[in-house]
Amino acid sequence: MSQTVPPVLSVHPSRSLVDEKLKVLVENLPPGSPVTLHSLHRSEDEHYWEAYGHYVSDHRGIVSVAEDLSVGGTYTGIESMGLLWSMRPVPGSRKGLRLRKMNVRSPMLFNISVYNGLITEGFREQTPLASALIERWYMAPGVQRIDIREKGVRGTLFIPPGPGPFPGLLDMWGGGGGLLEYRSSLLASRGFASFALEYFNSGELESAELEFSYFENAFSIVKDHPQVIPDKIGIFGLSLGSIMTVYLAAESTIVKPLCCVCVSASHFYPPGKNLHGVFEVMTMNSHMIRVDENGHHAWRDMGLEIIKEPSNRINVEKINCPMLLVNGLDDQNWPSVECADEIAQIMSAAGKGDLVTRLHYPDTGHLIEPPFSPHFRATKFKTATGKQKVIMLWGGQTKPHSDAQEDSWRKILSFLQHHLYSRETPKARM
Amino acid sequence: MDRKQYCVKLSVQPSRGLVDEKFIVLVQNVSPGFQMTIHALHKCEDGHSYEAFAHYTANATGTVNVSEDPSLGGTYSGVEQMGLLWSLRPVPGSKPGLRLRKVNVQTPMEVTISVYQGHQTEGFMDQVPLVGVLVERWYMAPRVRRIPITENGLTATLFLPSGLGPFPGLLDLWGGEGKLIEYRAALLASHGIACLTLDYLTPEITMETGKMVDSQYIETAYRVLEQHPQVLGSRIAMLGLSLGASVTLKMAVYSQVMKLRCVVCISGSHVQPIDGFLEELLNFCRINSETKTRINEEDQVIYHDLLLPIPTDPALKVDVGRLQCPLLLVVGEDDQNWPAYESAIDMKEMMEKAGNSHLLTVLSYPNAGHLIEPPYTPHTRATAFLSVTSVKKVMALWGGETVAHSRAQEDAWRKTLAFLRENLYGSSNCGF
């Protein structure tokens, strides 16, 4: 085999942003040759993730992932990005892993390979016919990353390249806590000055004494930045972050977002309390947490119980800006679809129905992330007590969830573009 | 600032590309009919700045797409997807005779693309653009490995493609300036070919001893490739530009050691003394330069006639009739530095007479000059040049008209890659 014609594997572009599509091409194979395309990634916390698809080369000896059918593997069908979104931990990995890029200044590296035959396992023990390394970035060239420690607020601000000024975003993640920068750096790569806010440490929600003012201060920090246009600021929240988003939009007299994106939203927030109150209510209702046959914790039923209590509801009828509500219909972590239903209903009754846009996706779970990242149906999660890690059930089936991520991201960017970059005077009622 | 203009959106995709990849420059969200100048700025490693710019008018949807819409003026006009790169030229006030070449191939070229209001032609640096993005252009794909080679007295660099291999190989030679030029080899490795770029005019050994290398030096380089565990020893090509092409032809025809799969000669000639090697070739050029060098009105030096007329004496040209592997000749018909075009015609005749012309492909480009480089490399008609045969720098005229030359670079590169792909990866046998 040593001097035979090697196949040629090419991936374009070899360096791309994580929301860009790839073209994976194998040439110079024998015609009608069964091959396996494989992707491998070693995460920052040193776990291995992989995906693979089974293909047969055409009469010219070519396999084009963007155009050809995968007939087996971790994804099937004509899926140009299947080698990324269908990735899962390699056999033998710990349970409940989640893939998240912490250092956004370096790219994620993926090794794409082509193997002879239709293989389903033991990739590491075999020699591929060809392989190529690609880089996937959360940060475009020229994006600035600024550590923020100001007015007691902690986070990282990402500014797009160029002279500016730019519209801004306050970006909040959910109940896992900590500082996740990747969505903000990607949003900055798409033209929005985005502030990734850290509002409690991982697993320390119980001790978080965060007052409402913390979030108002965070919003002001974005607003006051010299490279941000002060009256073009939006808020982006996922899960617990979207609770804060809805609350700020409804209740703040200081913060006036031009628009909001809420992924897997909820509109419950115990009145008058700070964030700690959220934790208290959940603890009170924790007996409603359902543990399934795999030992995974599903909070959905607990959530349904909590939102029954009308005094827990945020007064969403007070919201005066466009809201984009993104939900998965198989969200097992929170009844976010029911929440979105209610939010839409209440705002409609208040004559503000035209401010609400809803995106909901079948067989999609709670963690709706930027496109082409793997789907996590259930992962380890440090609960608010911080003492134990459970495996949290987020929901969703891989293919529909991945489609939802791709579709929603595009629509989220378009929504933000429309409201924050529009040449027309904003329609928001101030 | 007018509130309406902050909302201009500019995107360049891909924002990190290989130097031979196309990009799409898109401007959105301006008023229909809005007049703008799209500007490219590059500051190269030696501190000089280069710029290009083009005038556009937004369509009814408030968009400009550089790959679809015509430039109405600037450093290029018409529909030119990559015009912002290939029409780069030194900013006003720069030293004359500059040439843009990347020395450190492990870092990208950074180009700032910006949008300015109105149709402007100067003073870009004194204004704040409406919007700007940074674009990276790479000579090296991820995990292409750069390996300096100093064994056996060589001055060379090997670039290995990413992956395990084994890969076909290529020996890469540049021209009369000498030095070790890495960027083309790095780019070829990004296309799956293990590429060794060789300094044969100014290697360490010549700098120390004062003596030019002999043909065994080239054969040693070939052996390094052939014996490398990640190279397919039976699939090695050779590529030379200018003087490098002269050496390439010599080795391809006369070397007993080198078994080349195919050969590419850019702006080259077969005219040289058959006996001897570099010493003799350079003397030949030196002697001819005394009487045949021309200088034009702009004080630019034209070396084109040094090898003319094409000799009939067989002792003065490589016998390409004896070539046993495919040969690709790339020539610019406005080459003012070397008679590549005339040589190509003569080589074709020789091969037709010898019966091996089926091995020959000639790519001949009207109005293209001598320096046919990887695509989107800015064209310069004349640059400061210090050849190893001279003692002082001259302004050498390379020739070529920018648009035609840039098209030629793009076309020639694509066809060169296809030629190499076919011969290095194809299953057809070569008769040796």
Side-chain angles (χ1 to χ4, degrees), chain B residues 13-56:
Chain B
Q13 224 145 332
S15 50
R16 293 178 176 91
L18 289 179
V19 295
D20 59 355
E21 280 174 353
K22 291 192 173 188
F23 57 27
I24 297 179
V25 178
L26 192 61
V27 183
Q28 295 169 295
N29 235 37
V30 294
S31 339
F34 184 81
Q35 295 194 333
M36 68 180 73
T37 304
I38 303 184
H39 182 266
L41 181 69
H42 169 66
K43 188 152 179 224
C44 71
E45 292 155 314
D46 55 12
H48 293 112
S49 291
Y50 291 74
E51 69 175 1
F53 59 90
H55 299 150
Y56 291 91

Side-chain angles (χ1 to χ4, degrees), chain A residues 246-247 249-251 267 310 312-319 346:
Chain A
V246 174
Y247 195 70
E251 296 292 346
H267 60 319
N312 280 341
R313 280 185 219 139
I314 299 172
N315 298 325
V316 296
E317 67 279 1
K318 291 158 84 174
I319 294 176
I346 295 171

Side-chain angles (χ1 to χ4, degrees), chain A residues 220-289:
Chain A
S220 304
I221 286 171
V222 183
K223 188 161 177 281
D224 295 339
H225 193 280
Q227 278 181 283
V228 176
I229 303 165
D231 56 355
K232 302 256 176 198
I233 318 256
I235 310 181
F236 195 135
L238 179 140
S239 192
L240 184 61
S242 65
I243 293 180
M244 293 318 302
T245 305
V246 174
Y247 195 70
L248 282 166
E251 296 292 346
S252 178
T253 49
I254 304 171
V255 161
K256 298 276 178 247
L258 206 52
C259 65
C260 296
V261 177
C262 298
V263 178
S264 304
S266 177
H267 60 319
F268 112 88
Y269 190 91
K273 304 253 186 189
N274 56 24
L275 209 58
H276 188 250
V278 167
F279 164 73
E280 274 176 2
V281 173
M282 301 218 285
T283 311
M284 259 168 39
N285 289 282
S286 60
H287 57 282
M288 301 265 344
I289 292 174

